[in-house]
């Protein structure tokens, strides 16, 4: 019922290929369709605004802006507060429509300082192309537009699935990129940085690669992917560069290479760029995937499910069913109780019915609730809510008989009570 969100997350290696893996967009949608996932992400950021700037309202467009998300993420991590006026000012940066918003403002280097700094190679200072660069920028914009159109034509389902999570793209001047072909960062989610492209296929591949990362970032903050234990898990060392990656980066890389390998099947007739990873994507996805399957005990249920499902291991992709005792006695809930939300708790409901909850504090505790618990929480917002009233309303809401409504209500109230989100009084 209640998922505690602490983190931005016996197998025998058979060496089997993942060539027969099902469609990534279809499996993503089984966890959450793109529009549902984006709406739940916005609910999380609305909660952050409510915690750090009470009374402030922000539009969807503002909440999707990468720098706004960066600042809200910093606040949730305990690294400062939120200045709504400053966020609105930075989000006013000019962009051009190329099928995707492309940073065009001459002040982009200053406004996008955070992602440029984070992805910069040692000793480099990447600079974005802007309208101040005249014809050079116009040429880049044309290639980006062609790349977006190419992506949508070659793989329409994947394009719709991944681009829903990309809010902005910035094109780096080639002489300042330091060899960065494309990049994104979970610290500044929603923005993709690419080197000055020579052709549309380079743009399309970059959007698959980085769009897969953006998709993963949104899953990681709304679903059961990784927790604080991930920071202490074993590192993966790849065979092609011998780089060592923590678990979160390993899963993100596997997810991106899996999406790239599926995109490659749709683009084999296209002229690839000199730095294309598409021909290598399947082999790398298999290598990383085999390692993750051997270390799946470090992953949370949704991550394990996606890993097995994309690997084509249907038997291992069964979704778990709770066997917990949800009787009134087991949950400690009394039918004589009256329930109310604790005063230090704030929450926001998503359209899916799920709710994200936080406690006021310098570094809030964040919880995700399933639709049952989210509905019950919302019912308890006006104190106090008697059990009998909740039960009658629940039976009508869930369109079920009283015994089943009692079971579900007890489970929801019990989990909310255990995590000190609500309190009961006689």
């Amino acid at each position: 019922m209640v998922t505690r969100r602490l983190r931005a997350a016996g197998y025998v290696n058979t060496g089997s290929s993942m060539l027969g893996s099902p469609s990534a967009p279809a499996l993503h949608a089984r966890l959450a369709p793109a529009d549902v996932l984006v709406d739940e992400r916005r609910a999380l950021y609305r909660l952050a605004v409510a915690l750090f700037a009470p009374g402030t309202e922000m539009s969807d467009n503002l909440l999707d802006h990468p720098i706004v998300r960066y600042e809200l993420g910093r606040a949730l991590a305990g690294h400062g507060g939120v200045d709504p006026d400053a966020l609105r000012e930075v989000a006013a940066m000019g962009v051009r429509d190329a099928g995707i918003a492309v940073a065009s403002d001459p002040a982009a280097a200053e406004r996008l300082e955070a992602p440029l700094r984070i992805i910069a190679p040692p000793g480099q200072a990447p600079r974005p192309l802007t309208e101040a660069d005249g014809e050079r920028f116009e040429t880049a914009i044309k290639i980006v537009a062609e790349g977006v159109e190419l992506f949508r034509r070659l793989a329409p389902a994947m394009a719709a699935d991944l681009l829903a999570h990309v809010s902005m793209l910035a094109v780096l001047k080639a002489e300042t990129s330091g060899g960065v072909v494309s990049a994104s960062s979970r610290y500044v989610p929603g923005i993709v940085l690419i080197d000055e492209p020579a052709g549309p296929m380079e743009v399309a591949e970059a959007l698959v690669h980085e769009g897969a990362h953006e998709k993963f970032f949104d899953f990681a903050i709304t679903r059961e992917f990784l927790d604080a234990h991930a920071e202490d898990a074993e590192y993966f060392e790849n065979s092609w560069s011998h780089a060592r990656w923590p678990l979160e980066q390993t899963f993100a890389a596997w997810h991106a290479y899996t999406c790239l390998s599926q995109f490659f099947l749709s683009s084999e007739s296209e002229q690839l760029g000199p730095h294309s990873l598409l021909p290598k994507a399947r082999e790398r996805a298999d290598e990383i995937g085999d390692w993750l399957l051997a270390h799946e005990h470090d992953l949370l249920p949704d991550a394990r499910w996606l890993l097995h499902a994309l690997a084509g291991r249907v038997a291992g992709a069964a979704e778990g069913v709770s066997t917990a005792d949800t009787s009134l006695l087991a949950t400690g809930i009394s039918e004589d109780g009256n329930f109310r939300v604790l005063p230090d708790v704030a929450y926001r409901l998503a359209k899916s019915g799920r709710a994200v909850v936080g406690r006021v504090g310098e570094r809030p505790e964040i919880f995700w609730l399933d639709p049952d618990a989210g509905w019950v929480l919302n019912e308890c917002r006006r104190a106090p809510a008697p059990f009998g009233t909740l039960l009658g309303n629940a039976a009508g809401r869930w369109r079920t008989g009283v015994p089943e409504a009692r079971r579900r209500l007890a489970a929801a109230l019990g989990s909310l009570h255990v995590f000190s989100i609500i309190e009961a009084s006689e």
Side-chain angles (χ1 to χ4, degrees), residues 93-94 102-113 115-117 119 125-134 136-137 140 168-177 191-196:
M93 182 186 71
V102 180
S104 62
D105 198 311
E110 290 70 38
R111 298 288 176 87
L112 300 178
E113 181 275 334
L116 293 171
R117 167 175 43 83
I119 64 94
R127 304 285 294 183
L129 279 174
T130 71
E131 290 177 339
D133 294 295
R136 185 177 175 186
F137 174 74
M168 185 183 297
L169 183 143
V171 180
L172 304 179
K173 293 182 178 181
E175 66 273 19
T176 71
S177 66
I191 187 168
V192 170
L193 307 172
I194 65 170
D195 197 5
E196 202 166 346

Side-chain angles (χ1 to χ4, degrees), residues 24 116 126 165 182 245 278 316 347 389 420:
L116 293 171
H165 303 275
S182 70
W245 298 334
L278 292 177
Y347 70 95
T389 301
S420 300

Side-chain angles (χ1 to χ4, degrees), residues 177-203:
S177 66
V180 172
V181 177
S182 70
S184 57
S185 169
R186 68 181 175 90
Y187 297 108
V188 195
I191 187 168
V192 170
L193 307 172
I194 65 170
D195 197 5
E196 202 166 346
M201 190 60 190
E202 292 181 15
V203 176

Side-chain angles (χ1 to χ4, degrees), residues 172-375:
L172 304 179
K173 293 182 178 181
E175 66 273 19
T176 71
S177 66
V180 172
V181 177
S182 70
S184 57
S185 169
R186 68 181 175 90
Y187 297 108
V188 195
I191 187 168
V192 170
L193 307 172
I194 65 170
D195 197 5
E196 202 166 346
M201 190 60 190
E202 292 181 15
V203 176
E205 179 177 340
L207 290 173
V208 176
H209 189 157
E210 307 306 335
H213 286 324
E214 299 295 344
K215 184 88 181 184
F216 166 69
F217 298 153
D218 283 355
F219 273 137
I221 61 175
T222 61
R223 290 302 192 278
E224 287 285 275
F225 268 64
L226 301 167
D227 60 13
H229 172 69
E231 296 180 358
D232 302 318
E234 184 179 344
Y235 276 42
F236 166 74
E237 181 177 333
N238 70 52
S239 65
W240 55 92
S241 70
H242 297 288
R244 297 181 72 249
W245 298 334
L247 182 61
E248 182 176 24
Q249 187 176 354
T250 302
F251 195 97
W254 165 79
H255 183 246
Y257 277 121
T258 299
C259 291
L260 285 167
S261 67
Q262 293 193 7
F263 178 66
F264 186 40
L265 298 178
S266 304
S267 60
E268 290 178 324
S269 63
E270 299 296 323
Q271 181 66 43
L272 303 182
H275 304 293
S276 177
L277 295 174
L278 292 177
K280 309 168 186 175
R282 172 51 58 194
E283 180 181 355
R284 293 184 179 183
D286 284 348
E287 177 181 332
I288 304 170
D290 282 347
W291 186 91
L292 285 171
L293 285 163
H295 295 77
E296 63 176 301
H297 57 275
D298 291 318
L299 302 173
L300 296 184
D302 290 332
R304 288 199 302 272
W305 182 86
L306 188 61
L307 173 64
H308 280 275
L310 276 174
R313 299 174 182 270
V314 178
E319 296 174 68
V321 178
S322 173
T323 57
D325 184 352
T326 56
S327 67
L328 289 173
L329 180 62
T331 56
I333 297 302
S334 168
E335 291 203 21
D336 296 325
N338 297 286
F339 304 91
R340 72 182 185 96
V341 180
L342 284 164
D344 66 342
V345 167
Y347 70 95
R348 287 295 181 271
L349 287 172
K351 295 174 184 176
S352 64
R354 296 178 80 220
V356 59
V357 180
R359 284 197 180 84
V360 178
E362 183 178 343
R363 183 173 183 173
E365 291 182 281
I366 302 297
F367 302 85
W368 277 99
L369 312 182
D370 70 10
D372 278 8
W375 177 82

Side-chain angles (χ1 to χ4, degrees), residues 1-3 331 333 367 369-370 372-374 408-422:
M1 293 296 176
V2 180
T3 299
T331 56
I333 297 302
F367 302 85
L369 312 182
D370 70 10
D372 278 8
R408 289 170 63 177
L409 179 59
L413 286 171
S415 59
L416 292 169
H417 190 259
V418 164
F419 285 92
S420 300
I421 296 171
I422 62 170

